[in-house]
mmCIF file with all atom_site columns, all heavy atoms in Angstrom:
data_model
loop_
_atom_site.group_PDB
_atom_site.id
_atom_site.type_symbol
_atom_site.label_atom_id
_atom_site.label_alt_id
_atom_site.label_comp_id
_atom_site.label_asym_id
_atom_site.label_entity_id
_atom_site.label_seq_id
_atom_site.pdbx_PDB_ins_code
_atom_site.Cartn_x
_atom_site.Cartn_y
_atom_site.Cartn_z
_atom_site.occupancy
_atom_site.B_iso_or_equiv
_atom_site.pdbx_formal_charge
_atom_site.auth_seq_id
_atom_site.auth_comp_id
_atom_site.auth_asym_id
_atom_site.auth_atom_id
_atom_site.pdbx_PDB_model_num
ATOM 1  N N   . VAL A 1 120 ? 5.570  9.483  -9.021  1.00 0.00 ? 120 VAL A N   1
ATOM 2  C CA  . VAL A 1 120 ? 5.936  10.535 -9.966  1.00 0.00 ? 120 VAL A CA  1
ATOM 3  C C   . VAL A 1 120 ? 7.385  10.960 -9.788  1.00 0.00 ? 120 VAL A C   1
ATOM 4  O O   . VAL A 1 120 ? 8.100  11.222 -10.759 1.00 0.00 ? 120 VAL A O   1
ATOM 5  C CB  . VAL A 1 120 ? 4.990  11.743 -9.787  1.00 0.00 ? 120 VAL A CB  1
ATOM 6  C CG1 . VAL A 1 120 ? 5.435  12.929 -10.628 1.00 0.00 ? 120 VAL A CG1 1
ATOM 7  C CG2 . VAL A 1 120 ? 3.556  11.351 -10.127 1.00 0.00 ? 120 VAL A CG2 1
ATOM 8  N N   . ALA A 1 121 ? 7.828  11.035 -8.543  1.00 0.00 ? 121 ALA A N   1
ATOM 9  C CA  . ALA A 1 121 ? 9.201  11.473 -8.259  1.00 0.00 ? 121 ALA A CA  1
ATOM 10 C C   . ALA A 1 121 ? 9.603  10.937 -6.893  1.00 0.00 ? 121 ALA A C   1
ATOM 11 O O   . ALA A 1 121 ? 8.761  10.778 -6.008  1.00 0.00 ? 121 ALA A O   1
ATOM 12 C CB  . ALA A 1 121 ? 9.296  12.998 -8.287  1.00 0.00 ? 121 ALA A CB  1
ATOM 13 N N   . THR A 1 122 ? 10.886 10.662 -6.721  1.00 0.00 ? 122 THR A N   1
ATOM 14 C CA  . THR A 1 122 ? 11.412 10.218 -5.428  1.00 0.00 ? 122 THR A CA  1
ATOM 15 C C   . THR A 1 122 ? 12.635 11.041 -5.073  1.00 0.00 ? 122 THR A C   1
ATOM 16 O O   . THR A 1 122 ? 13.366 11.508 -5.946  1.00 0.00 ? 122 THR A O   1
ATOM 17 C CB  . THR A 1 122 ? 11.797 8.732  -5.425  1.00 0.00 ? 122 THR A CB  1
ATOM 18 O OG1 . THR A 1 122 ? 12.789 8.503  -6.447  1.00 0.00 ? 122 THR A OG1 1
ATOM 19 C CG2 . THR A 1 122 ? 10.595 7.844  -5.690  1.00 0.00 ? 122 THR A CG2 1
ATOM 20 N N   . ALA A 1 123 ? 12.848 11.206 -3.784  1.00 0.00 ? 123 ALA A N   1
ATOM 21 C CA  . ALA A 1 123 ? 14.027 11.913 -3.293  1.00 0.00 ? 123 ALA A CA  1
ATOM 22 C C   . ALA A 1 123 ? 15.067 10.882 -2.851  1.00 0.00 ? 123 ALA A C   1
ATOM 23 O O   . ALA A 1 123 ? 14.705 9.784  -2.418  1.00 0.00 ? 123 ALA A O   1
ATOM 24 C CB  . ALA A 1 123 ? 13.652 12.805 -2.113  1.00 0.00 ? 123 ALA A CB  1
ATOM 25 N N   . PRO A 1 124 ? 16.335 11.210 -2.959  1.00 0.00 ? 124 PRO A N   1
ATOM 26 C CA  . PRO A 1 124 ? 17.361 10.289 -2.450  1.00 0.00 ? 124 PRO A CA  1
ATOM 27 C C   . PRO A 1 124 ? 17.106 9.982  -0.987  1.00 0.00 ? 124 PRO A C   1
ATOM 28 O O   . PRO A 1 124 ? 16.857 10.887 -0.184  1.00 0.00 ? 124 PRO A O   1
ATOM 29 C CB  . PRO A 1 124 ? 18.668 11.071 -2.654  1.00 0.00 ? 124 PRO A CB  1
ATOM 30 C CG  . PRO A 1 124 ? 18.364 12.078 -3.715  1.00 0.00 ? 124 PRO A CG  1
ATOM 31 C CD  . PRO A 1 124 ? 16.919 12.436 -3.538  1.00 0.00 ? 124 PRO A CD  1
ATOM 32 N N   . GLY A 1 125 ? 17.129 8.726  -0.611  1.00 0.00 ? 125 GLY A N   1
ATOM 33 C CA  . GLY A 1 125 ? 16.819 8.339  0.758   1.00 0.00 ? 125 GLY A CA  1
ATOM 34 C C   . GLY A 1 125 ? 17.994 8.492  1.699   1.00 0.00 ? 125 GLY A C   1
ATOM 35 O O   . GLY A 1 125 ? 19.152 8.439  1.286   1.00 0.00 ? 125 GLY A O   1
ATOM 36 N N   . SER A 1 126 ? 17.694 8.686  2.959   1.00 0.00 ? 126 SER A N   1
ATOM 37 C CA  . SER A 1 126 ? 18.729 8.708  3.993   1.00 0.00 ? 126 SER A CA  1
ATOM 38 C C   . SER A 1 126 ? 19.009 7.282  4.443   1.00 0.00 ? 126 SER A C   1
ATOM 39 O O   . SER A 1 126 ? 18.138 6.407  4.378   1.00 0.00 ? 126 SER A O   1
ATOM 40 C CB  . SER A 1 126 ? 18.261 9.535  5.188   1.00 0.00 ? 126 SER A CB  1
ATOM 41 O OG  . SER A 1 126 ? 19.100 9.340  6.304   1.00 0.00 ? 126 SER A OG  1
ATOM 42 N N   . GLU A 1 127 ? 20.194 7.002  4.904   1.00 0.00 ? 127 GLU A N   1
ATOM 43 C CA  . GLU A 1 127 ? 20.549 5.669  5.369   1.00 0.00 ? 127 GLU A CA  1
ATOM 44 C C   . GLU A 1 127 ? 20.764 5.620  6.876   1.00 0.00 ? 127 GLU A C   1
ATOM 45 O O   . GLU A 1 127 ? 21.183 4.601  7.407   1.00 0.00 ? 127 GLU A O   1
ATOM 46 C CB  . GLU A 1 127 ? 21.808 5.180  4.645   1.00 0.00 ? 127 GLU A CB  1
ATOM 47 C CG  . GLU A 1 127 ? 21.581 5.001  3.141   1.00 0.00 ? 127 GLU A CG  1
ATOM 48 C CD  . GLU A 1 127 ? 22.803 4.458  2.430   1.00 0.00 ? 127 GLU A CD  1
ATOM 49 O OE1 . GLU A 1 127 ? 23.838 4.274  3.115   1.00 0.00 ? 127 GLU A OE1 1
ATOM 50 O OE2 . GLU A 1 127 ? 22.723 4.232  1.220   1.00 0.00 ? 127 GLU A OE2 1
ATOM 51 N N   . THR A 1 128 ? 20.473 6.721  7.552   1.00 0.00 ? 128 THR A N   1
ATOM 52 C CA  . THR A 1 128 ? 20.594 6.732  9.011   1.00 0.00 ? 128 THR A CA  1
ATOM 53 C C   . THR A 1 128 ? 19.315 7.316  9.610   1.00 0.00 ? 128 THR A C   1
ATOM 54 O O   . THR A 1 128 ? 18.662 8.170  9.004   1.00 0.00 ? 128 THR A O   1
ATOM 55 C CB  . THR A 1 128 ? 21.796 7.584  9.474   1.00 0.00 ? 128 THR A CB  1
ATOM 56 O OG1 . THR A 1 128 ? 21.639 8.921  8.984   1.00 0.00 ? 128 THR A OG1 1
ATOM 57 C CG2 . THR A 1 128 ? 23.101 6.996  8.962   1.00 0.00 ? 128 THR A CG2 1
ATOM 58 N N   . ILE A 1 129 ? 18.975 6.830  10.789  1.00 0.00 ? 129 ILE A N   1
ATOM 59 C CA  . ILE A 1 129 ? 17.783 7.293  11.480  1.00 0.00 ? 129 ILE A CA  1
ATOM 60 C C   . ILE A 1 129 ? 18.176 7.796  12.864  1.00 0.00 ? 129 ILE A C   1
ATOM 61 O O   . ILE A 1 129 ? 18.732 7.057  13.671  1.00 0.00 ? 129 ILE A O   1
ATOM 62 C CB  . ILE A 1 129 ? 16.740 6.167  11.606  1.00 0.00 ? 129 ILE A CB  1
ATOM 63 C CG1 . ILE A 1 129 ? 16.185 5.819  10.235  1.00 0.00 ? 129 ILE A CG1 1
ATOM 64 C CG2 . ILE A 1 129 ? 15.596 6.577  12.532  1.00 0.00 ? 129 ILE A CG2 1
ATOM 65 C CD1 . ILE A 1 129 ? 15.401 6.931  9.584   1.00 0.00 ? 129 ILE A CD1 1
ATOM 66 N N   . GLU A 1 130 ? 17.883 9.060  13.109  1.00 0.00 ? 130 GLU A N   1
ATOM 67 C CA  . GLU A 1 130 ? 18.161 9.657  14.409  1.00 0.00 ? 130 GLU A CA  1
ATOM 68 C C   . GLU A 1 130 ? 17.159 9.130  15.451  1.00 0.00 ? 130 GLU A C   1
ATOM 69 O O   . GLU A 1 130 ? 16.036 8.756  15.108  1.00 0.00 ? 130 GLU A O   1
ATOM 70 C CB  . GLU A 1 130 ? 18.017 11.180 14.319  1.00 0.00 ? 130 GLU A CB  1
ATOM 71 C CG  . GLU A 1 130 ? 18.932 11.841 13.304  1.00 0.00 ? 130 GLU A CG  1
ATOM 72 C CD  . GLU A 1 130 ? 20.310 12.108 13.865  1.00 0.00 ? 130 GLU A CD  1
ATOM 73 O OE1 . GLU A 1 130 ? 20.484 11.921 15.090  1.00 0.00 ? 130 GLU A OE1 1
ATOM 74 O OE2 . GLU A 1 130 ? 21.193 12.495 13.085  1.00 0.00 ? 130 GLU A OE2 1
ATOM 75 N N   . PRO A 1 131 ? 17.542 9.116  16.717  1.00 0.00 ? 131 PRO A N   1
ATOM 76 C CA  . PRO A 1 131 ? 16.596 8.681  17.759  1.00 0.00 ? 131 PRO A CA  1
ATOM 77 C C   . PRO A 1 131 ? 15.511 9.701  18.071  1.00 0.00 ? 131 PRO A C   1
ATOM 78 O O   . PRO A 1 131 ? 14.607 9.407  18.841  1.00 0.00 ? 131 PRO A O   1
ATOM 79 C CB  . PRO A 1 131 ? 17.504 8.458  18.976  1.00 0.00 ? 131 PRO A CB  1
ATOM 80 C CG  . PRO A 1 131 ? 18.711 9.295  18.730  1.00 0.00 ? 131 PRO A CG  1
ATOM 81 C CD  . PRO A 1 131 ? 18.897 9.329  17.249  1.00 0.00 ? 131 PRO A CD  1
#
Side-chain angles (χ1 to χ4, degrees):
V120 173
T122 59
S126 167
E127 295 183 357
T128 58
I129 292 295
E130 301 276 352

